[in-house]
Amino acid sequence: GDDKAGPTGEMEKVLDAMLSELSSEEIEQAARTSYVYFLAVTKEGYVDAPSGLEHLRRSKALAMARRCLVADKGKPDVALTRLRSTLVWRKEMDIDGMRTCFQEDDESHATMRSSLSHSMSTGLYSVRGYDREGRTVQSMTPARKVSDATPEEILAATVYHGERAIACTERRSKDAHEKYYVAFDYSGFKYEHAISLAAAKMVVFALRDHYCERVQAIYLLDAPMVFQIFWNIIKPFIDPDTKKKIKFITGEEEKKKEFGDLFDKEEAVSCILDDGHLVGSHDVYKYLHEVPFDFTSDEVILK
Protein backbone atom coordinates (compact mmCIF):
# COMPACT_ATOMS: atom_id res chain seq x y z
CA GLY A 1 0.00 0.00 0.00
CA ASP A 2 0.91 3.65 -0.22
CA ASP A 3 3.15 4.97 2.56
CA LYS A 4 1.42 8.29 2.60
CA ALA A 5 -2.31 7.73 2.67
CA GLY A 6 -3.75 11.23 2.86
CA PRO A 7 -4.45 12.32 6.42
CA THR A 8 -8.14 12.52 7.33
CA GLY A 9 -9.69 15.89 8.15
CA GLU A 10 -9.44 15.02 11.84
CA MET A 11 -5.76 14.15 11.57
CA GLU A 12 -5.07 17.32 9.58
CA LYS A 13 -6.47 19.40 12.43
CA VAL A 14 -4.24 17.61 14.93
CA LEU A 15 -1.18 18.08 12.69
CA ASP A 16 -1.93 21.79 12.22
CA ALA A 17 -2.25 22.14 15.99
CA MET A 18 1.11 20.35 16.46
CA LEU A 19 2.79 22.70 14.01
CA SER A 20 1.33 25.74 15.73
CA GLU A 21 3.21 24.67 18.88
CA LEU A 22 6.56 24.82 17.07
CA SER A 23 8.81 27.83 16.63
CA SER A 24 9.68 28.89 13.08
CA GLU A 25 13.21 27.49 13.64
CA GLU A 26 11.73 24.12 14.69
CA ILE A 27 9.50 24.11 11.60
CA GLU A 28 12.56 24.85 9.45
CA GLN A 29 14.52 21.97 11.03
CA ALA A 30 11.54 19.60 10.78
CA ALA A 31 11.25 20.42 7.06
CA ARG A 32 14.97 19.67 6.65
CA THR A 33 14.33 16.00 7.44
CA SER A 34 13.40 16.04 3.73
CA TYR A 35 16.45 16.10 1.44
CA VAL A 36 14.39 17.80 -1.28
CA TYR A 37 13.72 20.69 1.09
CA PHE A 38 17.33 20.67 2.32
CA LEU A 39 18.53 21.06 -1.27
CA ALA A 40 15.99 23.79 -1.94
CA VAL A 41 17.26 25.92 0.97
CA THR A 42 20.98 25.19 0.75
CA LYS A 43 21.59 24.82 -2.96
CA GLU A 44 18.76 26.98 -4.19
CA GLY A 45 17.41 23.78 -5.66
CA TYR A 46 14.16 23.43 -7.49
CA VAL A 47 11.95 26.08 -5.97
CA ASP A 48 10.92 28.81 -8.35
CA ALA A 49 9.44 31.33 -5.90
CA PRO A 50 9.47 32.16 -2.18
CA SER A 51 5.83 31.02 -1.96
CA GLY A 52 6.95 27.66 -3.39
CA LEU A 53 9.56 27.39 -0.65
CA GLU A 54 7.01 28.29 2.04
CA HIS A 55 4.66 25.61 0.76
CA LEU A 56 7.45 23.01 0.61
CA ARG A 57 8.62 23.91 4.12
CA ARG A 58 5.15 23.51 5.57
CA SER A 59 4.39 20.26 3.77
CA LYS A 60 7.70 18.65 4.81
CA ALA A 61 7.31 19.78 8.44
CA LEU A 62 3.75 18.36 8.41
CA ALA A 63 5.13 15.10 7.01
CA MET A 64 7.50 14.77 9.97
CA ALA A 65 4.70 15.60 12.41
CA ARG A 66 2.54 12.94 10.76
CA ARG A 67 5.26 10.26 11.03
CA CYS A 68 5.63 11.02 14.75
CA LEU A 69 1.85 11.04 15.28
CA VAL A 70 1.44 7.66 13.56
CA ALA A 71 4.35 6.18 15.54
CA ASP A 72 2.86 7.48 18.78
CA LYS A 73 -0.57 6.03 18.02
CA GLY A 74 -2.28 9.37 17.50
CA LYS A 75 -1.15 11.03 20.77
CA PRO A 76 -0.13 14.58 19.79
CA ASP A 77 1.68 15.49 23.02
CA VAL A 78 3.85 12.36 22.91
CA ALA A 79 4.45 12.88 19.18
CA LEU A 80 5.51 16.49 19.76
CA THR A 81 8.01 15.39 22.41
CA ARG A 82 9.42 12.82 19.97
CA LEU A 83 9.60 15.41 17.18
CA ARG A 84 11.47 17.91 19.35
CA SER A 85 13.90 15.35 20.75
CA THR A 86 14.60 14.17 17.18
CA LEU A 87 15.41 17.73 16.07
CA VAL A 88 17.86 18.07 18.98
CA TRP A 89 19.40 14.68 18.16
CA ARG A 90 19.77 15.57 14.46
CA LYS A 91 21.62 18.73 15.44
CA GLU A 92 23.95 16.79 17.77
CA MET A 93 24.62 14.23 15.01
CA ASP A 94 25.09 17.09 12.51
CA ILE A 95 22.92 15.42 9.87
CA ASP A 96 23.22 18.44 7.55
CA GLY A 97 27.01 18.18 7.80
CA MET A 98 26.82 14.47 6.95
CA ARG A 99 24.84 15.27 3.83
CA THR A 100 27.49 17.60 2.45
CA CYS A 101 30.82 16.63 4.03
CA PHE A 102 32.09 14.48 1.13
CA GLN A 103 30.96 16.80 -1.64
CA GLU A 104 32.19 20.05 -0.10
CA ASP A 105 35.45 18.85 1.43
CA ASP A 106 35.30 21.65 4.03
CA GLU A 107 37.82 21.79 6.86
CA SER A 108 35.14 21.97 9.57
CA HIS A 109 33.94 18.44 8.69
CA ALA A 110 37.38 16.84 8.29
CA THR A 111 36.98 14.67 11.40
CA MET A 112 33.50 13.53 10.38
CA ARG A 113 34.77 12.73 6.90
CA SER A 114 37.70 10.63 8.03
CA SER A 115 35.69 8.75 10.64
CA LEU A 116 32.84 7.99 8.18
CA SER A 117 35.35 6.99 5.47
CA HIS A 118 37.07 4.63 7.89
CA SER A 119 33.89 2.92 9.08
CA MET A 120 32.68 2.48 5.48
CA SER A 121 36.03 1.52 3.93
CA THR A 122 35.26 -2.19 3.43
CA GLY A 123 32.03 -1.63 1.51
CA LEU A 124 30.10 -2.95 4.51
CA TYR A 125 27.24 -0.50 3.87
CA SER A 126 25.60 0.55 0.65
CA VAL A 127 22.43 2.03 -0.81
CA ARG A 128 21.69 0.10 -4.01
CA GLY A 129 18.70 -0.68 -6.18
CA TYR A 130 15.01 0.27 -6.06
CA ASP A 131 11.75 -1.57 -5.86
CA ARG A 132 9.18 -0.96 -8.60
CA GLU A 133 7.73 1.99 -6.69
CA GLY A 134 11.05 3.76 -6.12
CA ARG A 135 11.93 2.68 -2.59
CA THR A 136 15.64 1.98 -2.20
CA VAL A 137 17.54 -0.61 -0.16
CA GLN A 138 20.11 0.16 2.51
CA SER A 139 22.16 -3.01 2.62
CA MET A 140 24.75 -4.18 5.10
CA THR A 141 27.11 -7.13 4.83
CA PRO A 142 28.26 -7.92 8.39
CA ALA A 143 31.08 -10.18 7.14
CA ARG A 144 32.78 -6.98 5.89
CA LYS A 145 33.01 -5.65 9.43
CA VAL A 146 35.52 -2.86 10.13
CA SER A 147 37.08 -4.44 13.20
CA ASP A 148 38.08 -1.30 15.10
CA ALA A 149 34.98 0.85 14.42
CA THR A 150 33.60 2.32 17.66
CA PRO A 151 29.86 2.15 18.53
CA GLU A 152 29.64 5.88 17.69
CA GLU A 153 31.21 5.30 14.27
CA ILE A 154 28.87 2.38 13.58
CA LEU A 155 25.89 4.55 14.50
CA ALA A 156 27.10 7.45 12.32
CA ALA A 157 27.69 5.19 9.30
CA THR A 158 24.24 3.60 9.69
CA VAL A 159 22.59 7.01 9.99
CA TYR A 160 24.53 8.35 6.98
CA HIS A 161 23.19 5.52 4.84
CA GLY A 162 19.68 5.84 6.26
CA GLU A 163 19.68 9.51 5.25
CA ARG A 164 20.95 8.63 1.78
CA ALA A 165 18.28 5.94 1.44
CA ILE A 166 15.58 8.48 2.40
CA ALA A 167 16.97 11.03 -0.08
CA CYS A 168 17.15 8.45 -2.90
CA THR A 169 13.62 7.20 -2.24
CA GLU A 170 12.22 10.73 -2.11
CA ARG A 171 13.81 11.64 -5.44
CA ARG A 172 13.25 8.38 -7.30
CA SER A 173 9.61 7.92 -6.21
CA LYS A 174 8.97 11.61 -7.00
CA ASP A 175 7.85 12.12 -3.40
CA ALA A 176 5.32 9.27 -3.41
CA HIS A 177 7.24 7.34 -0.74
CA GLU A 178 9.29 8.06 2.34
CA LYS A 179 10.18 4.55 3.51
CA TYR A 180 13.16 2.43 2.51
CA TYR A 181 14.18 -1.21 3.02
CA VAL A 182 16.98 -2.44 5.24
CA ALA A 183 18.69 -5.67 4.17
CA PHE A 184 21.37 -7.51 6.11
CA ASP A 185 23.29 -9.93 3.90
CA TYR A 186 24.60 -12.61 6.25
CA SER A 187 26.52 -14.60 3.62
CA GLY A 188 29.95 -15.49 4.98
CA PHE A 189 28.94 -14.43 8.52
CA LYS A 190 30.91 -15.76 11.48
CA TYR A 191 30.30 -14.95 15.12
CA GLU A 192 33.30 -12.56 15.26
CA HIS A 193 31.51 -10.38 12.67
CA ALA A 194 28.76 -9.52 15.17
CA ILE A 195 28.94 -5.92 16.39
CA SER A 196 29.11 -5.23 20.11
CA LEU A 197 25.89 -5.12 22.10
CA ALA A 198 26.64 -1.46 22.88
CA ALA A 199 26.78 -0.58 19.17
CA ALA A 200 23.72 -2.68 18.34
CA LYS A 201 21.67 -0.98 21.09
CA MET A 202 22.78 2.49 19.94
CA VAL A 203 21.61 1.77 16.39
CA VAL A 204 18.35 0.09 17.46
CA PHE A 205 17.40 2.94 19.81
CA ALA A 206 18.31 5.70 17.33
CA LEU A 207 16.20 4.11 14.60
CA ARG A 208 13.32 3.52 17.02
CA ASP A 209 13.34 7.06 18.43
CA HIS A 210 14.36 9.18 15.45
CA TYR A 211 13.48 7.27 12.27
CA CYS A 212 9.90 6.29 12.99
CA GLU A 213 7.78 5.46 9.92
CA ARG A 214 10.89 5.48 7.73
CA VAL A 215 11.58 1.76 7.31
CA GLN A 216 9.34 -0.40 5.12
CA ALA A 217 10.82 -3.76 6.14
CA ILE A 218 14.02 -5.22 7.59
CA TYR A 219 15.32 -8.36 5.93
CA LEU A 220 17.81 -10.73 7.53
CA LEU A 221 19.08 -12.71 4.55
CA ASP A 222 20.73 -16.14 4.68
CA ALA A 223 21.46 -15.86 8.40
CA PRO A 224 23.47 -18.91 9.53
CA MET A 225 22.79 -20.84 12.74
CA VAL A 226 25.55 -18.93 14.54
CA PHE A 227 23.61 -15.69 14.00
CA GLN A 228 20.91 -17.01 16.39
CA ILE A 229 23.26 -16.38 19.33
CA PHE A 230 23.62 -12.68 18.44
CA TRP A 231 19.91 -12.43 17.60
CA ASN A 232 18.89 -13.80 21.02
CA ILE A 233 21.05 -11.18 22.73
CA ILE A 234 19.73 -8.20 20.74
CA LYS A 235 16.07 -9.26 20.36
CA PRO A 236 14.91 -8.07 23.82
CA PHE A 237 16.00 -4.51 22.94
CA ILE A 238 13.92 -4.29 19.77
CA ASP A 239 10.54 -2.58 20.13
CA PRO A 240 7.35 -4.41 19.03
CA ASP A 241 6.71 -2.14 16.00
CA THR A 242 10.19 -2.78 14.63
CA LYS A 243 9.97 -6.51 15.40
CA LYS A 244 6.91 -6.75 13.14
CA LYS A 245 8.99 -5.46 10.22
CA ILE A 246 11.78 -8.02 10.57
CA LYS A 247 11.77 -11.02 8.24
CA PHE A 248 14.25 -13.88 8.09
CA ILE A 249 14.62 -15.03 4.48
CA THR A 250 16.92 -17.84 3.37
CA GLY A 251 17.67 -19.35 -0.02
CA GLU A 252 16.68 -18.64 -3.60
CA GLU A 253 13.07 -19.86 -3.38
CA GLU A 254 12.13 -17.75 -0.34
CA LYS A 255 13.77 -14.70 -1.93
CA LYS A 256 11.86 -15.17 -5.19
CA LYS A 257 8.63 -15.40 -3.24
CA GLU A 258 9.33 -12.28 -1.17
CA PHE A 259 11.08 -10.06 -3.71
CA GLY A 260 10.03 -11.33 -7.14
CA ASP A 261 7.02 -9.03 -7.35
CA LEU A 262 8.73 -6.08 -5.62
CA PHE A 263 11.97 -5.76 -7.60
CA ASP A 264 13.00 -5.97 -11.25
CA LYS A 265 16.24 -7.94 -11.47
CA GLU A 266 17.97 -4.95 -13.12
CA GLU A 267 17.33 -3.04 -9.88
CA ALA A 268 18.00 -5.81 -7.37
CA VAL A 269 21.16 -6.48 -5.36
CA SER A 270 22.27 -10.10 -5.74
CA CYS A 271 21.67 -10.83 -2.03
CA ILE A 272 17.96 -10.04 -2.60
CA LEU A 273 17.45 -11.90 -5.88
CA ASP A 274 20.01 -14.48 -6.97
CA ASP A 275 19.77 -13.18 -10.55
CA GLY A 276 19.87 -9.53 -9.43
CA HIS A 277 22.08 -7.41 -11.67
CA LEU A 278 23.70 -5.33 -8.92
CA VAL A 279 26.57 -7.63 -8.03
CA GLY A 280 29.94 -7.35 -6.35
CA SER A 281 30.99 -4.53 -4.07
CA HIS A 282 30.58 -0.90 -5.03
CA ASP A 283 33.35 1.68 -5.36
CA VAL A 284 33.16 3.25 -1.90
CA TYR A 285 35.34 6.28 -2.66
CA LYS A 286 33.38 7.19 -5.76
CA TYR A 287 30.05 6.61 -3.98
CA LEU A 288 31.02 8.95 -1.13
CA HIS A 289 32.83 11.69 -3.05
CA GLU A 290 31.35 11.75 -6.55
CA VAL A 291 27.85 10.30 -6.55
CA PRO A 292 25.24 12.88 -5.44
CA PHE A 293 23.78 12.18 -1.98
CA ASP A 294 20.34 11.32 -3.39
CA PHE A 295 21.62 8.74 -5.93
CA THR A 296 22.52 5.11 -5.33
CA SER A 297 25.99 3.82 -6.13
CA ASP A 298 24.84 2.11 -9.36
CA GLU A 299 22.67 4.84 -10.86
CA VAL A 300 23.88 6.39 -14.05
CA ILE A 301 23.69 10.14 -13.62
CA LEU A 302 22.61 11.74 -16.87
CA LYS A 303 24.28 15.10 -16.94
Side-chain angles (χ1 to χ4, degrees):
D2 188 10
D3 292 349
K4 306 209 285 198
T8 58
E10 201 42 51
M11 191 178 188
E12 267 177 8
K13 277 188 207 131
V14 175
L15 292 173
D16 283 340
M18 279 174 71
L19 241 55
S20 70
E21 296 276 321
L22 299 174
S23 68
S24 56
E25 178 55 20
E26 285 173 326
I27 289 174
E28 170 67 21
Q29 294 309 320
R32 280 179 179 234
T33 55
S34 151
Y35 190 71
V36 166
Y37 180 74
F38 175 76
L39 274 186
V41 287
T42 55
K43 300 223 180 358
E44 287 155 40
Y46 317 110
V47 179
D48 43 12
S51 61
L53 194 62
E54 283 296 315
H55 176 75
L56 189 61
R57 179 187 298 121
R58 183 161 182 86
S59 75
K60 294 301 183 183
L62 280 169
M64 184 187 188
R66 183 184 44 73
R67 288 191 298 273
C68 294
L69 192 63
V70 169
D72 290 316
K73 315 282 184 269
K75 302 187 190 99
D77 47 344
V78 188
L80 209 51
T81 303
R82 179 198 291 267
L83 187 150
R84 286 194 161 120
S85 77
T86 295
L87 296 182
V88 169
W89 178 86
R90 289 177 71 84
K91 204 172 178 138
E92 286 166 357
M93 292 291 291
D94 191 7
I95 301 293
D96 288 356
M98 271 187 191
R99 287 163 156 171
T100 58
C101 71
F102 288 107
Q103 307 282 337
E104 298 190 352
D105 229 24
D106 56 322
E107 200 41 56
S108 59
H109 287 100
T111 316
M112 175 186 273
R113 226 178 355 262
S114 68
S115 128
L116 281 172
S117 301
H118 174 66
S119 49
M120 298 176 195
S121 55
T122 56
L124 159 66
Y125 308 87
S126 66
V127 175
R128 299 180 83 177
Y130 292 94
D131 77 359
R132 290 181 176 140
E133 297 197 0
R135 297 184 193 93
T136 193
V137 184
Q138 174 188 5
S139 41
M140 283 164 265
T141 311
R144 294 191 185 141
K145 178 181 179 180
V146 176
S147 52
D148 60 348
T150 64
E152 290 74 16
E153 285 176 330
I154 291 168
L155 174 65
T158 308
V159 165
Y160 173 87
H161 284 86
E163 288 290 334
R164 278 195 86 150
I166 290 166
C168 289
T169 297
E170 200 178 10
R171 178 187 59 79
R172 180 72 170 241
S173 74
K174 298 188 171 57
D175 236 3
H177 295 296
E178 50 182 13
K179 291 181 178 174
Y180 62 95
Y181 300 96
V182 175
F184 288 90
D185 172 11
Y186 281 103
S187 54
F189 180 83
K190 297 184 175 63
Y191 192 69
E192 65 262 23
H193 297 136
I195 59 172
S196 69
L197 182 58
K201 280 162 73 172
M202 264 178 137
V203 169
V204 165
F205 295 156
L207 293 178
R208 177 197 68 191
D209 296 341
H210 306 306
Y211 287 90
C212 57
E213 294 300 303
R214 280 302 202 182
V215 174
Q216 183 75 11
I218 299 166
Y219 296 108
L220 306 181
L221 305 169
D222 300 317
M225 284 302 288
V226 64
F227 176 74
Q228 268 324 122
I229 308 168
F230 178 66
W231 177 240
N232 292 336
I233 296 171
I234 188 66
K235 198 162 65 177
F237 299 101
I238 300 174
D239 62 287
D241 286 339
T242 304
K243 260 193 199 118
K244 281 184 215 140
K245 294 180 180 179
I246 296 175
K247 297 182 184 182
F248 280 87
I249 293 179
T250 301
E252 191 176 354
E253 282 315 300
E254 283 185 21
K255 289 177 186 178
K256 258 204 191 100
K257 206 173 135 188
E258 180 71 34
F259 302 117
D261 293 338
L262 285 174
F263 290 84
D264 291 319
K265 52 181 191 284
E266 292 74 17
E267 281 290 355
V269 201
S270 52
C271 67
I272 280 183
L273 287 173
D274 284 19
D275 57 357
H277 288 197
L278 308 180
V279 292
S281 56
H282 63 305
D283 177 336
V284 180
Y285 183 87
K286 186 178 159 196
Y287 167 65
L288 293 177
H289 292 266
E290 292 165 26
V291 177
F293 194 78
D294 53 350
F295 282 75
T296 61
S297 49
D298 306 274
E299 273 181 282
V300 178
I301 302 146
L302 300 167
K303 283 278 185 265

